[in-house]
């Protein structure tokens, strides 16, 4: 555990001197010190860090919820739904088409639709924090798209599970999806109408008690969410959404920072542990093709979101590049596909695709101004007489 922290810190310090973001360096530390690479092996089984990695994801999404104010959701709900729907339509649709084009099978195509279609909430959050863009105008639609993706994710997983397991009962699939949606609705109602009560329960002048309280609430509700078929990180996001609007919200944002950064690093390090570089050459060309498709769809989705929100080329480029990375959800799908006995090429393909975008995403996001130069402007051209 100590070696994981130190290795991630060392690589991040070296990379920081040449302007590299921390996320791919944390992942690289996991690859170099994992069981699939010659040399020093800190952890032979990636599952040894499973709980700590899960905690890192929970805290990243909890922080994201703290930054996403309920007022933004009330005033911009329609535009958020439009932007999120456009993003999913373009990316999930392209992923499904790409899956069928590979010819690996129908179940495999459904898995690839989710892999190519859903952004990494953890990496998106980290990119926004690292680049200092939390307060930017385009961050609201970015967070809105993430929320729409997360709602879709819960329903998608509930619908996909019986298909991959070979279940032929439509009623079981509908029941699972209904349970997940009902729990999400309950959390949304609590965030909308229970803020004052929650604020009184969480409020305390003692920082130690406040940390224990919000950490316990985030982790507990994340576990309950998972039991209802909703991704654990979504439950943590909803807790952040509730607490961010309370009188203790500003203090919680400051107190959660070191926890978020420390365990977030372990999440990305653990992700690197699961990647076997030896499997990547066998699926190199499909991975490169998938990355090209994702790049194109993200640019189109960024332009669509910019038009919905009346943004110019700069914010459109920031939206396109910030949402580019894929991560934890793709790894969940890889695990489900392996358990279901699907095409054995899926796992190395997903690992290579996620790794490339996890590295490329933060790098491209930091240089989004280059993309902004070539994007069309939403401003009307002057009429020449």
């Amino acid at each position: 555990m100590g070696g994981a922290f130190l290795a991630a810190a060392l690589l991040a310090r070296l990379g920081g001197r040449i302007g590299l973001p921390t996320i791919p360096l944390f992942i690289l530390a996991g690859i170099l010190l994992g069981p699939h690479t010659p040399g020093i092996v800190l952890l032979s089984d990636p599952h040894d860090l499973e709980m700590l990695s899960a905690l890192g994801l929970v805290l990243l999404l909890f922080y994201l919820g703290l930054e996403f104010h309920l007022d933004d959701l009330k005033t911009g709900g329609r535009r958020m739904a439009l932007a999120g729907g456009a993003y999913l339509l373009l990316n999930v649709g392209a992923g499904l088409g790409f899956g069928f084009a590979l010819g690996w099978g129908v179940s495999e195509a459904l898995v690839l639709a989710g892999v190519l279609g859903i952004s990494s909430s953890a990496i998106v959050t980290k990119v926004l924090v690292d680049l200092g863009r939390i307060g930017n105008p385009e961050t609201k639609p970015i967070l809105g798209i993430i929320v729409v993706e997360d709602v879709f994710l819960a329903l998608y997983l509930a619908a996909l599970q019986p298909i991959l397991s070979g279940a032929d009962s439509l009623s079981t699939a509908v029941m699972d999806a209904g349970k997940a949606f009902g729990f999400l609705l309950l959390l949304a109602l609590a965030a909308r109408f229970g803020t004052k009560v929650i604020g009184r329960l969480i409020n305390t002048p003692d920082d130690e008690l406040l940390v224990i309280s919000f950490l316990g609430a985030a982790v507990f509700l994340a576990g309950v969410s998972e039991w209802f078929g909703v991704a654990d990180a979504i439950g943590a996001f909803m807790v952040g959404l509730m607490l961010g609007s309370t009188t203790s919200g500003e203090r919680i944002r400051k107190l959660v920072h070191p926890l978020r950064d420390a365990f977030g690093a372990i999440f990305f390090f653990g992700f690197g542990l699961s990647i076997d570089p030896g499997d990547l050459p066998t699926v190199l060309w499909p991975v490169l093709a998938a990355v090209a498709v994702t790049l194109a769809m993200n640019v189109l989705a960024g332009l669509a979101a910019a038009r919905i929100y009346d943004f110019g080329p700069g914010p459109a480029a920031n939206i396109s590049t910030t949402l580019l990375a894929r991560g934890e959800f793709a790894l969940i799908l890889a695990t489900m596909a392996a358990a279901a006995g699907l095409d054995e090429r899926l796992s190395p393909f997903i690992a290579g695709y996620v790794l490339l975008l996890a590295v490329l995403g933060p790098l491209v996001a930091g240089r989004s101004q280059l993309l902004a130069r070539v994007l069309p402007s939403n401003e009307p051209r002057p009429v020449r007489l």
Side-chain angles (χ1 to χ4, degrees):
M1 181 69 186
F5 274 120
L6 290 174
L10 178 62
L11 277 179
R13 282 170 176 262
L14 293 175
R17 294 186 176 182
I18 56 175
L20 291 178
T22 58
I23 296 168
L25 295 169
F26 292 155
I27 296 172
L28 179 62
I31 294 174
L32 294 177
L33 298 172
H36 307 298
T37 307
I40 299 173
V41 178
L42 281 182
L43 288 160
S44 57
D45 186 358
H47 293 293
D48 290 342
L49 280 183
E50 190 171 12
M51 181 61 73
L52 293 173
S53 295
L55 183 58
L57 180 59
V58 162
L59 287 170
L60 282 166
L61 269 291
F62 173 71
Y63 178 79
L64 186 65
L66 288 172
E67 293 292 343
F68 194 91
H69 299 290
L70 278 173
D71 290 339
D72 298 333
L73 191 60
K74 292 179 215 172
T75 57
R78 181 176 174 275
R79 290 197 295 183
M80 182 186 77
L82 285 173
Y87 189 89
L88 288 172
L89 183 64
L90 287 167
N91 285 273
V92 175
L96 185 63
F98 182 82
F100 282 122
L102 286 179
W104 291 354
V106 175
S107 295
E108 287 79 358
L110 291 172
V111 170
L112 288 173
V115 171
L116 270 67
I118 305 294
S119 306
S120 168
S121 300
I123 296 179
V124 168
T125 307
K126 193 71 166 61
V127 167
L128 290 172
V129 172
D130 287 351
L131 297 179
R133 293 180 181 170
I134 288 291
N136 285 15
E138 70 273 9
T139 297
K140 290 180 181 179
I142 289 172
L143 298 183
I145 290 171
I146 289 294
V147 171
V148 173
E149 282 186 322
D150 288 342
V151 173
F152 172 81
L153 161 62
L155 302 177
Y156 180 80
L157 283 178
L160 188 63
Q161 182 62 52
I163 296 174
L164 295 185
S165 63
D168 55 359
S169 172
L170 180 62
S171 61
T172 301
V174 171
M175 187 181 299
D176 289 342
K179 183 172 71 171
F181 184 76
F183 184 67
L184 281 173
L185 183 60
L186 182 63
L187 291 179
L189 290 172
R192 173 66 180 87
F193 300 107
T195 305
K196 290 183 179 180
V197 175
I198 294 169
R200 283 196 293 267
L201 291 173
I202 200 77
N203 186 40
T204 172
D206 189 313
D207 284 350
E208 179 185 10
L209 292 179
L210 185 59
V211 169
I212 294 171
S213 299
F214 74 68
L215 186 61
V219 176
F220 177 75
L221 198 53
V224 174
S225 299
E226 199 170 45
W227 188 77
F228 276 96
V230 176
D232 50 6
I234 310 304
F237 173 87
M238 297 303 294
V239 175
L241 190 65
M242 297 174 201
L243 298 185
S245 300
T246 66
T247 54
S248 304
E250 190 57 39
R251 287 174 59 210
I252 293 173
R253 288 185 193 92
K254 292 179 181 178
L255 292 169
V256 78
H257 276 191
L259 293 169
R260 178 205 68 193
D261 292 341
F263 288 99
I266 290 298
F267 170 79
F268 294 113
F269 182 88
F271 172 38
L273 289 175
S274 66
I275 295 174
D276 184 353
D279 291 337
L280 304 183
T282 61
V283 290
L284 177 62
W285 293 111
V287 165
L288 292 178
V291 168
V293 169
T294 304
L295 283 167
M297 291 302 105
N298 269 259
V299 170
L300 291 176
L303 287 171
R307 184 166 292 277
I308 292 168
Y309 282 85
D310 296 322
F311 288 150
N318 287 346
I319 294 171
S320 300
T321 55
T322 303
L323 291 166
L324 183 62
R326 303 296 188 260
E328 61 279 359
F329 176 51
L331 299 180
I332 291 171
L333 285 175
T335 303
M336 291 172 62
L342 300 187
D343 195 301
E344 61 183 14
R345 291 170 291 186
L346 266 180
S347 291
F349 169 85
I350 293 173
Y353 171 76
V354 170
L355 176 61
L356 190 53
L357 282 181
V359 173
L360 189 62
L363 290 173
V364 172
R367 293 158 179 81
S368 59
Q369 71 276 7
L370 300 177
L371 175 61
R373 294 175 187 173
V374 299
L375 291 181
S377 175
N378 287 332
E379 297 176 1
R381 294 182 180 180
V383 179
R384 293 183 178 179
L385 299 177

